[in-house]
Amino acid sequence: MVCARRLTLLLFCLLVTLTGEAAARMAVGPVEAFQQAREVRDLADIRRVGELRVLINQSRNSSGEVKDQAIGVEYARLRAFEQYLNRDPGKPQIRLRLIPKPKDQLLGALRRGEGDLVAPGERMPRGGKQDVVGGRPVVDDVRLLLVGRKGGPAYRSLDQLSGRSIALSAGSAAGPVLSRINRDLLARNKAPVVIEWVDPTLAVEDVLEMVQAGIFPATVVEETIARRWAKVMPKLRIDPRIAFGEPDDMNWYTARKAPMLRAGIDRFLKDYRAPANRDDAFVRVYRRLYKVQAPLDRTGRQRLDKVSATLQRHASAHDLDWLNLAALAFKESTLNPTARGASDAVGLMQVTPATARSMGVSNVTKLENNVEASARYLASIRRKFFSSPKLNERERMAFVLAAYNMGPQRVQTLRAEARRRGLNPDQWFFQVERVAMEQVGMGVVSYVNSVNKYYQAYARERVLLEAGRRSASN
C-alpha cells in the first residue's frame, strides 16, 4: 500500500512538472531551426570586429531601458563593462550588441556561437556547462527565497510546502532545487510541491506581480531579485526562513575557448561597484505600473458570470478566445458594463462611439453592442495587420492589443525598427516591446502585459469557468 501511494505521488509530481514545462515550451511557437555552430571569438577577434555580442536574459529585471533610463541591473553593468573595454582610446573601440533570449536558451545560444557572452541577471542551474565557464561572480552567495503575498499563508519549513503550488518562470534556478525537495518529500511519503511552470510570456517580475495580486500563491526567486522588486511591489512578503538549497553565485558566462575575454571580465568585475542610486530610475518608472489585481476574487467571479455569455457569443462570432475578451474587459472596466472613461469611452470594453460607428455598431451603452463593437474592432485589426502564420496566437493577440491601445500603424513601425536591430519582429513580448519601452515608454507595454496576465489568470481556470457556463445553459 505504501509503495503504491509513493508511486502515485511520484507520477503526480512528474506529470505536473513535465507537463507544465512542455506546455510552456509549446506556447512559444515553433522550435528554432537548427543553426550551425559558429567559431568561438575571443577578445582579439571581438576588438577586430568592433562588436561584443551579449546574450541577455529577456526579463525586464535584467536588461533594457525606458525612455533613456537604464532599468535592467545587467544593462547598467554591461554599459560599464563597455566603457571599461574602451578605456584606452588607442585601441579599436568595441560596442555592445544586446541579444535578448529566454533564459533557458542562453547557454545553448552561446555554445552555437550566436553570442560571445551570457549575462543572465539570475542564477543559472548547475550542471552541463563543461564547454561554458563562469568567471568571477557578479554577485556571490545568492540565496533562493520563498516569496508570497502579505496576509497569505506563512511557512517555516519545507514540509509545510507539501502539496502546495509554486509558480516558476522558464529556466528558473529553483526548478532543480524543488525537484530534489520533491524527491525527499516522496521518500518520506509526503505529497510533492506542485511546480507550475508559467507561460513563457511571463518573466520573473511578472510572476512576482501575479503573486502580489494573489493569482499565484507563491514563487521562489533569487534574494537580490525579490528585494529589488519589493521596492515597487509592497504587498510581496519575502520569507528568509526556508532554505532552498545552498547559496550560489550569479555569473556571466563565456565559452571555455575565450580565455582573454574571460580574463577581461574578471578584471572589470574585481573593481566594479554598482552606483548607490542604481535603482532610483527603476523605482521611479515602475512603482505605478505593476499593480494587476486578482480578476477571479469573489466580486470578479460574480461580474464575469453576468457577462460571460455575451463575451462568449461575440468571441465565437469573430473567432476570438472569449477569455481574451474577458481579460481586456477586466483591464478596461474591471467588468463593469456601466463604466465611463476618458474620451467618451463607455461600457464593459470602454469603446468610443466613433470606434463603434466605424465597425457599424451604434448605441454602445448597451452591453451587447459594446462587446460586439470591441470584438469586431479586434478582429479587424487582426485580419488587416496580424494575420501572418508566422505569429503564434499569444504573440498575435499581444500585437492586436498593442494596436488596440496605440494604433496599428505605430505598432508596425515598432516591428520594422525591431527587425532593423536584429530583434524578432514577430514576437511582441521581450522583443518588439523593447523598442516600445525605449521609444514610447511603458504605457503600451504595461497595457499588453496586464491584459496578458488577466488572460493567464482566467486560462488557469478555463475548465471550471467553461464548465460553469455549460451547466448554466443546460
Side-chain angles (χ1 to χ4, degrees):
M1 183 72 177
V2 171
C3 290
R5 184 184 176 203
R6 185 175 299 172
L7 179 60
T8 300
L9 289 173
L10 178 59
L11 291 173
F12 172 74
C13 176
L14 290 173
L15 179 64
V16 169
T17 303
L18 295 177
T19 301
E21 285 193 277
R25 301 302 178 273
M26 288 173 66
V28 176
V31 177
E32 294 181 13
F34 173 77
Q35 298 185 32
Q36 186 174 0
R38 304 173 192 173
E39 185 176 350
V40 173
R41 305 193 313 182
D42 207 348
L43 188 56
D45 307 302
I46 292 165
R47 198 172 287 283
R48 183 174 63 255
V49 174
E51 179 182 79
L52 175 65
R53 300 166 303 163
V54 184
L55 295 157
I56 53 172
N57 183 0
Q58 59 189 16
S59 160
R60 298 169 208 94
N61 174 73
S62 300
S63 62
E65 65 178 49
V66 179
K67 301 284 282 186
D68 298 323
Q69 298 284 324
I71 300 298
V73 288
E74 290 296 14
Y75 188 90
R77 192 179 286 118
L78 284 165
R79 288 306 178 195
F81 181 51
E82 181 181 45
Q83 294 176 1
Y84 173 83
L85 291 174
N86 294 325
R87 67 193 183 281
D88 185 349
K91 291 183 178 180
Q93 301 294 284
I94 298 173
R95 65 180 180 86
L96 266 57
R97 179 160 72 93
L98 305 183
I99 307 171
K101 285 186 175 291
K103 182 186 174 184
D104 55 353
Q105 296 179 18
L106 290 172
L107 296 183
L110 179 64
R111 291 187 180 97
R112 293 191 298 271
E114 296 174 28
D116 308 303
L117 166 66
V118 167
E122 302 176 25
R123 279 175 44 175
M124 299 292 280
R126 286 287 185 179
K129 298 194 284 281
Q130 292 82 1
D131 53 346
V132 172
V133 180
R136 180 183 290 273
V138 174
V139 185
D140 56 11
D141 294 332
V142 178
R143 297 184 295 170
L144 293 172
L145 296 182
L146 182 71
V147 181
R149 186 175 188 268
K150 289 179 179 178
Y155 303 103
R156 292 179 173 79
S157 70
L158 289 172
D159 282 7
Q160 290 180 298
L161 295 175
S162 172
R164 303 284 184 171
S165 177
I166 290 180
L168 298 179
S169 55
S172 169
V177 176
L178 284 169
S179 294
R180 291 195 294 270
I181 290 169
N182 277 344
R183 288 195 291 270
D184 176 67
L185 289 170
L186 286 163
R188 293 186 288 116
N189 242 9
K190 293 181 177 293
V193 178
V194 179
I195 304 173
E196 182 176 355
W197 292 99
V198 305
D199 189 90
T201 59
L202 303 174
V204 61
E205 61 273 11
D206 299 313
V207 176
L208 287 169
E209 184 183 17
M210 294 173 80
V211 168
Q212 175 178 247
I215 298 169
F216 295 137
T219 188
V220 176
V221 300
E222 291 82 348
E223 182 173 10
T224 51
I225 294 173
R227 298 203 180 280
R228 187 178 197 229
W229 284 90
K231 296 176 182 178
V232 296
M233 300 183 195
K235 293 181 181 178
L236 291 177
R237 184 183 63 208
I238 302 169
D239 194 338
R241 293 170 293 183
I242 302 179
F244 290 88
E246 296 297 320
D248 201 356
D249 298 336
M250 289 170 54
N251 299 93
W252 288 353
Y253 296 90
T254 62
R256 186 175 292 279
K257 295 180 180 179
M260 298 308 296
L261 174 60
R262 188 161 59 255
I265 292 170
D266 286 351
R267 287 192 295 271
F268 163 72
L269 292 174
K270 179 181 178 181
D271 298 322
Y272 175 76
R273 298 293 180 271
N277 65 345
R278 177 182 62 183
D279 283 346
D280 287 358
F282 165 82
V283 172
R284 186 168 58 252
V285 170
Y286 282 154
R287 63 185 173 185
R288 295 186 181 91
L289 296 179
Y290 283 81
K291 292 186 177 182
V292 299
Q293 308 169 52
L296 287 171
D297 59 9
R298 183 176 179 181
T299 300
R301 286 180 185 274
Q302 290 173 345
R303 290 185 175 184
L304 184 60
D305 285 344
K306 293 178 180 179
V307 299
S308 60
T310 303
L311 293 171
Q312 288 179 328
R313 186 161 51 253
H314 291 291
S316 177
H318 296 283
D319 195 25
L320 296 168
D321 185 342
W322 78 279
L323 294 183
N324 278 323
L325 284 186
L328 178 58
F330 191 90
K331 169 62 178 174
E332 292 286 0
S333 69
T334 60
L335 299 179
N336 178 7
T338 64
R340 291 189 174 273
S343 303
D344 295 327
V346 298
L348 190 77
M349 312 301 295
Q350 288 295 281
V351 179
T352 65
T355 298
R357 284 194 298 272
S358 72
M359 294 294 108
V361 179
S362 60
N363 192 11
V364 285
T365 57
K366 291 180 59 178
L367 175 63
E368 286 285 345
N369 294 5
N370 195 277
V371 176
E372 181 179 11
S374 180
R376 283 188 182 184
Y377 187 41
L378 290 168
S380 172
I381 292 172
R382 181 186 60 188
R383 183 179 65 256
K384 293 177 180 177
F385 298 96
F386 306 110
S387 60
S388 169
K390 293 181 180 179
L391 302 176
N392 71 46
E393 290 309 309
R394 287 314 304 151
E395 296 295 346
R396 190 188 316 280
M397 192 61 198
F399 282 117
V400 170
L401 288 169
Y404 190 85
N405 179 260
M406 66 186 305
Q409 295 298 342
R410 190 72 182 275
V411 175
Q412 296 294 53
T413 300
L414 295 176
R415 293 180 74 192
E417 175 62 14
R419 183 182 289 107
R420 189 189 69 79
R421 296 189 191 185
L423 298 172
N424 185 352
D426 297 325
Q427 182 182 333
W428 169 266
F429 294 104
F430 312 115
Q431 297 283 317
V432 176
E433 77 165 22
R434 291 178 67 86
V435 182
M437 289 166 63
E438 295 172 21
Q439 297 189 355
V440 183
M442 282 298 296
V444 65
V445 175
S446 179
Y447 181 86
V448 175
N449 284 346
S450 295
V451 177
N452 182 52
K453 286 164 194 166
Y454 294 135
Y455 173 82
Q456 300 296 338
Y458 287 138
R460 292 175 80 231
E461 300 196 29
R462 180 188 292 275
V463 173
L464 293 175
L465 293 173
E466 293 182 347
R469 178 62 197 155
R470 285 194 297 270
S471 298
S473 61
N474 289 337

